[in-house]
């Protein structure tokens, strides 16, 4: 396939590197010029759980250089999705498949403002522990399941085709008829740890062990769980506290990306994670005061970045 990765940061670079290594024609589109120049000069290096490889990838800062693709993967942060959707348009024909990798809520809706939802798929990934070692050099600690689904739901031949692209590139991937369940299950975990870790500077394990922080994190999860169930989302668990404790116990030493953003004095994806819960709650006649407070504190701190 001819594949474009729009937003080729740490995670996008892992997608690009492994898919190119599998024999696909891959284009990396990113605004970081030094990263793009290094890839074009030296290749893209991806090391970690999947091994250590340097592969040839086409890289550009201008999406108009790419041409029509079979698959466009939008891997930007939430704040970059609207611009990425416009970039993706220049690569999209009637048969092009658009896959947006969700972190929180809102990415799919922003994509759908520019591209018909019938062409859009959603992806949920986690557990990679990805970081950039420098321009043209990505690293990842893990390699968990990539969950994929049609934005409009259902199991389709093209969903199976996209799942196979990921599998053939060395990823564990699975297609789901209801990807929105997967999105909300990940979002509940993100709400639990992202905002509270960001505010306190604590790791996931330290949040779990803190008599002061854990009740706040647990309340964030409970609010998100209630909103999801009220919206009719079919979650794969009954006890939200047991679910988030089990999740957190697997990554006790982790610093969520939101905390990493604040350590680097970068704006986070708060509006797509804790900040999204009050907005979704209001749609079904509920409130989410804990998530609203956490999001407000994070936005206040970011106002000085």
């Amino acid at each position: 396939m001819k594949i474009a990765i729009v937003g080729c940061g740490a995670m996008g670079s892992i997608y690009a590197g492994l898919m190119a290594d599998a024999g696909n024609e891959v284009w990396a589109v990113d605004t970081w010029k030094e990263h793009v120049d290094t890839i074009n000069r030296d290749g893209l290096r991806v090391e970690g759980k999947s091994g250590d490889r340097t592969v040839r990838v086409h890289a550009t800062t201008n999406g108009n250089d790419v041409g029509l693709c079979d698959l466009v993967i939008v891997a930007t942060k939430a704040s970059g999705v609207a611009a990425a959707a416009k970039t993706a348009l220049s690569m999209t024909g009637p048969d092009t498949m658009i896959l947006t990798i969700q972190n929180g809520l809102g990415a799919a809706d922003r994509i759908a403002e520019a591209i018909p939802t019938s062409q859009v798929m959603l992806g949920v990934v986690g557990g990679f522990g990805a970081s950039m070692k420098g321009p043209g050099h990505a690293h990842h600690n893990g390699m968990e399941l990539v969950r994929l689904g049609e934005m409009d739901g259902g199991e389709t031949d093209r969903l199976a085709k996209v799942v196979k692209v990921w599998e053939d590139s060395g990823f564990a991937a699975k297609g789901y008829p209801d990807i929105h369940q997967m999105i909300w299950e990940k979002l509940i975990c993100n709400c639990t740890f992202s905002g509270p870790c960001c505010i306190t500077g604590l790791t996931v394990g330290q949040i779990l062990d803190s008599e002061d922080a854990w009740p706040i994190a647990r309340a964030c999860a409970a609010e998100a769980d209630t909103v999801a169930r009220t919206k009719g989302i079919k979650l794969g668990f009954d006890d939200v506290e047991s679910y988030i404790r089990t999740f957190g116990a697997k990554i006790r030493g982790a610093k969520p990306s939101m905390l990493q953003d604040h350590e680097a004095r970068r704006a986070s994806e708060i509006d797509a994670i804790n900040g999204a819960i009050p907005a979704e709650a209001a749609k079904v006649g509920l409130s989410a005061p804990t998530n609203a407070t956490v999001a407000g504190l994070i936005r206040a701190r970011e106002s000085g970045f």
Side-chain angles (χ1 to χ4, degrees):
M1 280 193 177
K2 181 178 179 181
I3 302 169
I5 313 291
V6 182
C8 210
M11 288 299 293
S13 292
I14 294 166
Y15 309 153
L18 271 64
M19 288 179 175
D21 200 33
N24 297 288
E25 177 188 347
V26 176
W27 285 77
V29 184
D30 200 83
T31 57
W32 184 12
K33 188 175 185 302
E34 187 180 4
H35 183 43
V36 166
D37 291 344
T38 301
I39 293 172
N40 285 327
R41 184 184 66 244
D42 303 328
L44 173 61
R45 182 180 178 188
V46 177
E47 64 167 328
K49 181 72 171 179
S50 64
D52 191 344
R53 63 183 58 72
T54 300
V55 294
R56 303 306 306 183
V57 173
H58 305 281
T60 181
T61 58
N62 185 354
N64 292 322
D65 295 339
V66 177
L68 293 184
C69 292
D70 300 304
L71 173 64
V72 178
I73 298 174
V74 176
T76 62
K77 288 196 172 186
S79 59
V81 168
K86 294 177 183 177
T87 298
L89 273 177
S90 67
M91 312 169 196
T92 301
D95 297 320
T96 301
M97 297 170 287
I98 311 296
L99 170 61
T100 176
I101 304 296
Q102 287 270 136
N103 193 24
L105 296 180
D109 294 332
R110 294 186 186 95
I111 292 285
E113 290 175 5
I115 298 167
T117 58
S118 60
Q119 287 185 258
V120 179
M121 298 180 193
L122 310 180
V124 180
V125 302
F128 279 74
S131 62
M132 294 300 300
K133 295 292 187 180
H137 184 184
H139 178 273
H140 66 111
N141 293 315
M143 208 167 179
E144 291 187 6
L145 184 65
V146 178
R147 297 170 173 86
L148 305 167
E150 295 276 4
M151 183 172 179
D152 291 341
E155 296 181 270
T156 63
D157 289 342
R158 67 174 191 170
L159 175 59
K161 185 186 297 186
V162 172
V163 169
K164 189 173 188 306
V165 170
W166 287 84
E167 290 177 334
D168 289 349
S169 301
F171 296 91
K174 184 177 179 181
Y176 290 82
D178 181 8
I179 193 63
H180 297 282
Q181 174 188 340
M182 304 297 114
I183 290 170
W184 272 91
E185 287 181 359
K186 182 181 180 184
L187 177 63
I188 288 167
C189 293
N190 282 346
C191 286
T192 305
F193 297 107
S194 293
C197 285
C198 183
I199 289 172
T200 61
L202 299 177
T203 64
V204 168
Q206 288 169 332
I207 289 286
L208 282 167
D209 296 340
S210 171
E211 293 181 1
D212 294 308
W214 178 243
I216 296 168
R218 183 180 59 207
C220 287
E223 290 176 358
D225 177 79
T226 299
V227 171
R229 294 181 191 279
T230 304
K231 286 173 63 70
I233 303 295
K234 296 177 181 178
L235 301 174
F237 56 86
D238 295 320
D239 183 349
V240 68
E241 181 166 3
S242 175
Y243 173 67
I244 57 177
R245 279 191 176 277
T246 300
F247 173 85
K250 296 176 183 177
I251 52 169
R252 287 184 57 87
K255 286 184 176 183
S257 60
M258 194 179 294
L259 173 55
Q260 294 181 47
D261 284 336
H262 274 221
E263 288 179 338
R265 295 186 66 78
R266 292 189 302 257
S268 70
E269 296 182 287
I270 185 59
D271 289 333
I273 302 177
N274 297 85
I277 304 305
E280 292 299 311
K283 294 176 184 178
V284 291
L286 299 174
S287 62
T290 308
N291 279 286
T293 300
V294 167
L297 290 170
I298 289 171
R299 290 192 200 100
R301 186 170 185 227
E302 288 181 2
S303 67
F305 291 173

